[in-house]
Amino acid sequence: MVPAQVPAWAERLSAERQKRLWSQRDLAGHMVQAAPEHARAQFPKRDSIVRRIKDYERGAHKPDEPYRTLYCRVFGLSEEELFAETSTPSFVPELAGGFADAINLLREQWHLLVKRDNLLGPRHTLRGVHEQITLLEGFLESVRGSDRRAVLRLAAQYAESAAWLHEDTGELKEACQWTDQAMNWAYEAGDGLMVTWTMFRRSQQETAQRRPEEVIRLVLSSLRDADRLPAPMRAALLQQHAHGQALNGEERICQQLLDEAHTWAAVTDDGDARAGHGSFCTGAYLEIQRACCWMELGQAARAVSGYEAAMQHLSPVYQRDRGMTLAGLARAYAAIGEPEQAAAVGVDALKIARNSGSTRILTVVTSVDHSLQRYRRLPAVAELHDALTTAAC
């Protein structure tokens, strides 16, 4: 029997789904994807899961296992946040009147800025992120209690985005500062998943500085409660662990971790992070990272094959990632003694680096140019060198 008044937890389930612009059938698909691989074959058909979701959102009965855990994974929230009998700060809208509208607008703007970064890069995104952080910092000066926690959660998201954007523009000091700020805000808000995600960001920064022990330490700390993490976040952490093992020269462990990451990978993603942290971690992304690891392990021929195959399946929204993949492919071609192919692909990567403002891409392409110095008489190699010289002017 459906209760006369829909319980707070049922309204919350519906609100969290709608906040992500998912249909009930979309949510059913995410639940199946979030389930352990060995359990997926035992799941009922999609229509049956949709009927369950409808019952839950009407408050007909409360989810039991495994659906209770799957809800937490796909929404990236704890059981307490989702299934408390009374309204909680995570329920939308958290704030009253126009203030609530402003916060909801800033939430939506964050998704748009994430997509903008994936399409256009940090040059066209970083200013907007800092402008929104300034607004949120102003709100934090005057709000208290549950309103403050709601603002803190959103501010932590923006700060983590700032960390990533500064990292992509080669400003590692600023990236580390914003990662710390994101962690502080997330901790104050009680946002455990964001705290975990800031540790992921730190591990990436340690990867850039080639500190495998720190990479692995941070990732293992993040994976302590792996069963409570949303599936794509778990996949992202596993592939980051693989990078740490590649830096250590541990080929077998690295490849095993990437294989495991595939069992948790996101199926599809629109590039706006509506599916939560790590939603970029699709199968194509993981294979690009496998190719990066092959390069680190000194197996450039395997890296070439990996980059070429994975790039065919990379979503068009990830234009900056395409540039990074092209740069990696150029480096791999150079390593196997194919200077003209390396230079031609490097020119394509350089175009994306220029348009996006990604220093990471530019750094890799520059290293390719240096490695091809003895082939400068070849037209393609000369073109790459001239393009880089022009870019530096």
Side-chain angles (χ1 to χ4, degrees):
M1 178 180 296
V2 180
Q5 182 176 357
V6 177
W9 58 263
E11 291 185 337
R12 202 174 300 120
L13 295 181
S14 177
E16 289 293 337
R17 175 179 61 79
Q18 294 178 54
K19 186 167 70 174
R20 291 161 176 78
L21 303 182
W22 292 348
S23 68
Q24 290 172 332
R25 180 166 287 275
D26 290 335
L27 175 56
H30 285 291
M31 282 184 163
V32 173
Q33 181 62 26
E37 187 175 22
H38 66 80
R40 292 177 194 171
Q42 302 172 13
F43 262 60
K45 292 182 178 179
R46 193 70 54 89
D47 288 342
S48 177
I49 300 175
V50 170
R51 286 195 293 271
R52 283 178 178 267
I53 291 170
K54 289 179 178 178
D55 285 344
Y56 297 150
E57 292 185 3
R58 289 187 301 122
H61 56 273
K62 213 167 187 177
D64 51 14
E65 294 298 345
Y67 295 96
R68 195 177 181 91
T69 296
L70 293 177
Y71 262 117
C72 293
R73 286 180 180 172
V74 298
F75 288 155
L77 297 170
S78 68
E79 288 200 21
E80 182 180 358
E81 289 171 310
L82 275 180
F83 298 113
E85 294 294 339
T86 57
S87 294
T88 68
S90 65
F91 177 52
V92 180
E94 300 92 342
L95 309 170
F99 201 9
D101 292 339
I103 295 303
N104 288 332
L105 175 63
L106 289 173
R107 278 199 191 97
E108 185 61 27
Q109 285 294 317
W110 181 76
H111 289 295
L112 293 175
L113 284 166
V114 170
K115 191 163 189 174
R116 185 175 183 175
D117 173 48
N118 285 321
L119 275 168
L120 303 175
R123 173 175 293 159
H124 306 279
T125 312
L126 189 53
R127 180 178 176 181
V129 167
H130 279 296
E131 287 175 351
Q132 311 298 40
I133 289 174
T134 299
L135 284 173
L136 289 164
E137 287 176 325
F139 290 155
L140 287 172
E141 293 178 1
S142 58
V143 293
R144 298 292 182 271
S146 63
D147 289 355
R148 180 175 176 81
R149 287 193 293 274
V151 178
L152 283 166
R153 290 173 73 99
L154 186 56
Q157 287 181 240
Y158 272 103
E160 191 275 333
S161 292
W164 160 243
L165 292 166
H166 280 291
E167 185 180 335
D168 198 25
T169 56
E171 299 166 323
L172 194 57
K173 179 180 178 181
E174 290 82 357
C176 292
Q177 289 172 343
W178 280 110
T179 302
D180 289 342
Q181 183 62 77
M183 179 174 284
N184 290 339
W185 279 336
Y187 184 80
E188 184 182 347
D191 188 345
L193 283 177
M194 178 54 80
V195 171
T196 297
W197 196 241
T198 58
M199 293 178 73
F200 165 81
R201 182 63 60 213
R202 279 185 173 178
S203 73
Q204 283 200 318
Q205 293 158 4
E206 296 295 343
T207 302
Q209 297 186 72
R210 302 187 63 79
R211 297 173 179 167
E213 291 79 11
E214 284 300 297
V215 174
I216 294 169
R217 180 185 67 79
L218 287 164
V219 172
L220 290 179
S221 296
S222 302
L223 286 167
R224 282 175 187 158
D225 296 319
D227 289 340
R228 298 179 64 85
L229 298 179
M233 181 187 286
R234 190 168 177 174
L237 286 165
L238 287 167
Q239 66 82 30
Q240 190 61 26
H241 190 184
H243 277 286
Q245 295 295 342
L247 285 171
N248 262 342
E250 297 287 352
E251 177 184 326
R252 182 180 60 82
I253 300 174
C254 169
Q255 297 304 315
Q256 287 176 342
L257 287 165
L258 288 166
D259 290 343
E260 184 182 353
H262 267 285
T263 67
W264 302 100
V267 178
T268 58
D269 180 43
D270 293 327
D272 55 13
R274 291 189 189 278
H277 306 303
S279 55
F280 59 83
C281 201
T282 62
Y285 177 85
L286 287 172
E287 286 309 299
I288 290 169
Q289 301 313 306
R290 193 189 298 273
C292 293
C293 289
W294 281 131
M295 278 299 296
E296 186 61 47
L297 292 163
Q299 300 198 39
R302 283 185 164 181
V304 167
S305 299
Y307 280 128
E308 289 179 336
M311 198 159 46
Q312 304 303 314
H313 303 286
L314 186 64
S315 170
V317 75
Y318 288 105
Q319 186 65 9
R320 191 262 320 286
D321 280 4
R322 185 171 297 277
M324 197 66 198
T325 304
L326 286 167
L329 179 58
R331 188 162 70 102
Y333 274 134
I336 64 172
E338 296 287 352
E340 291 179 298
Q341 285 181 289
V345 174
V347 168
D348 290 339
L350 181 60
K351 291 175 184 175
I352 297 176
R354 282 175 171 171
N355 292 333
S356 67
S358 174
T359 300
R360 290 188 315 135
I361 300 174
L362 181 60
T363 298
V364 177
V365 175
T366 300
S367 73
V368 171
D369 177 59
H370 290 163
S371 71
L372 298 178
Q373 186 172 0
R374 59 179 171 156
Y375 300 106
R376 291 271 167 82
R377 292 183 179 180
L378 295 175
V381 178
E383 181 186 354
L384 173 63
H385 182 68
D386 291 345
L388 274 166
T389 303
T390 302
C393 294

